[in-house]
Amino acid sequence: MSGRIKRIGVLTSGGDNPGLNACIRAVVRTSISRGAEIFGIRRGFDGLIKGDMDAMDSRSVSNIIRRGGTILSTARCPEFFTEEGRLKALKVLRENEIDGIVVIGGNGSLMGAFELHKLGFPVIGVPGTIDNDVNGTDISIGVDTALNTIIEAIDKIKDTASSHNRTFLIETMGRSSGYLALSSGIAGGAEMVLIPEVETSFDEIVDTVRNSYKKGKSHCIIVVAEGWKPGTKELAEKINEIGKEYEFSVRVTQLGHVQRGGDASAFDRILATKLGAAAAEALISGKSGEIVGILGSDITFTPLEEAISYEKQIDKKLYALAEIMAK
Ligand code: F6P
């Protein structure tokens, strides 16, 4: 262990996702194995500002590897985005003799992590968000489990859609990212995917629906990302109008927060364990201001400043593939 980092803090921030607990467990057990003390900070940056934290040991993370949610709780904390809030947090960290922290969360949380790093405080970020919109990693913790949840829903909806000859609009999460919609659309065999990154007109959508029935399909499944504009409700109204002509009706299923919960998949447990362990190791070896991720099959580190500086792009080839598969 380096001379500097003797006591580590860990927090989860922003929207929760399955795999956070596996990551906390990895941070805790790696820190302990390297002779560092570890403190769990509750409710993200909000708990940090209020000094809400406790020492953790190996037993405090027993039997949590599979569990969704986060044993540390999480929050979105606007106060941390003020200078006053950040200085309060820094004071708390100093008072509690914490030498460095691991921040697990999505883009907003990683921006917070970068702010702490800018104040000279050692911090390593770990990408945890079902949206998969964090740069510096191919995949974030929670994405795989969320995708499996969505696909299970699509499969079930297809059964009822085919029985009634219906068109279904299935809305996934993803405020500004279409990753979940696109990936689940491919895996679920959807007729169409609508995502914020790709402009699609009502006419194109209506044509796709019409053609599905003309081709003899017994249903039309459209996976819509939450952030797609003008939105699922307006689309349902438009499609209903042509439904009369082709004798089908439209139903909307908004999957919502069910996508954020549940036991973590094997993939997420392993990913979270690798990233959590690497984050603790990195902090102890003196790294700061970086995000740990997985690029290809390698565990990598990317400066937080770079990771948060641009929007992650959707894979256009994957989008084209979804269109071909829907024929
Ligand atoms: O960022 C993750 C996410 O699940 C988004 O996909 C979604 O738009 C948002 O969080 C919902 O946030 P909340 O749980 O605060 O309503």
Side-chain angles (χ1 to χ4, degrees):
M1 190 173 79
S2 85
R4 232 158 52 85
I5 307 285
K6 293 196 174 74
R7 185 177 283 181
I8 292 176
V10 57
L11 62 82
T12 50
S13 158
D16 64 319
N17 47 81
L20 289 180
N21 283 325
C23 189
I24 295 166
R25 175 178 175 270
V27 173
V28 168
R29 290 195 174 163
T30 304
S31 302
I32 291 169
S33 80
R34 295 291 308 272
E37 283 183 277
I38 175 87
F39 274 63
I41 301 161
R42 288 190 203 87
R43 296 187 329 282
F45 292 112
D46 186 49
L48 177 57
I49 289 172
K50 294 180 176 128
D52 189 358
M53 61 180 81
D54 267 321
M56 298 180 86
D57 61 20
S58 266
R59 292 289 69 75
S60 53
V61 290
S62 289
N63 203 18
I64 65 166
I65 191 166
R66 67 173 183 85
R67 277 169 53 193
T70 159
I71 59 162
L72 292 176
S73 302
T74 184
R76 302 192 195 272
C77 178
E79 193 184 351
F80 194 76
F81 286 89
T82 65
E83 198 187 352
E84 201 193 338
R86 288 195 291 275
L87 291 178
K88 270 195 216 167
L90 197 62
K91 191 163 169 271
V92 166
L93 287 165
R94 302 269 189 243
E95 280 168 3
N96 286 277
E97 295 177 359
I98 307 258
D99 304 310
I101 64 167
V102 174
V103 171
I104 316 166
N107 278 320
S109 312
L110 297 170
M111 281 176 195
F114 182 56
E115 291 300 327
L116 263 185
H117 168 74
K118 281 201 292 185
L119 290 173
F121 193 83
V123 53
I124 294 288
V126 183
T129 167
I130 65 166
D131 290 357
N132 208 25
D133 57 352
V134 173
N135 289 307
T137 190
D138 291 337
I139 191 152
S140 292
I141 298 169
V143 175
D144 182 69
T145 308
L147 272 178
N148 284 309
T149 302
I150 298 169
I151 286 157
E152 194 187 335
I154 294 177
D155 290 347
K156 286 179 175 164
I157 287 169
K158 261 191 174 175
D159 291 343
T160 172
S162 296
S163 307
H164 288 267
N165 220 35
R166 279 176 175 155
T167 287
F168 264 84
L169 306 182
I170 304 176
E171 189 183 294
T172 67
M173 274 192 167
R175 218 181 342 223
S176 53
S177 162
Y179 184 89
L180 281 179
L182 177 54
S183 304
S184 63
I186 290 178
E191 273 61 47
M192 193 171 209
V193 170
L194 300 173
I195 57 177
E197 295 89 340
V198 178
E199 218 172 284
T200 317
S201 69
F202 273 140
D203 286 348
E204 284 173 78
I205 302 166
V206 164
D207 274 354
T208 301
V209 177
R210 229 186 233 127
N211 286 333
S212 299
Y213 290 102
K214 272 191 192 159
K215 281 186 223 159
K217 292 195 182 194
S218 56
H219 60 243
C220 179
I221 303 290
I222 304 181
V223 182
V224 189
E226 175 191 1
W228 179 78
K229 297 278 179 291
T232 315
K233 195 166 163 276
E234 285 83 342
L235 181 59
E237 282 160 16
K238 278 270 177 212
I239 298 177
N240 243 330
E241 285 168 23
I242 64 155
K244 289 164 202 141
E245 189 189 330
Y246 288 88
E247 293 180 357
F248 69 86
S249 55
V250 185
R251 294 289 185 273
V252 175
T253 302
Q254 199 175 25
L255 297 176
H257 287 77
V258 72
Q259 296 161 95
R260 289 239 297 258
D263 284 355
S265 66
F267 179 89
D268 271 327
R269 296 181 201 190
I270 295 166
L271 176 70
T273 301
K274 283 181 177 172
L275 297 187
E281 290 280 359
L283 209 50
I284 289 165
S285 67
K287 270 192 200 293
S288 177
E290 301 194 30
I291 172 178
V292 60
I294 190 152
L295 293 171
S297 51
D298 297 329
I299 300 288
T300 55
F301 288 88
T302 305
L304 277 168
E305 185 167 21
E306 184 191 325
I308 60 176
S309 66
Y310 63 98
E311 269 189 21
K312 189 167 184 163
Q313 300 300 301
I314 202 84
D315 181 351
K316 290 279 162 64
K317 283 191 189 147
L318 202 61
Y319 186 81
L321 189 60
E323 288 188 309
I324 294 168
M325 290 304 127
K327 296 289 177 217

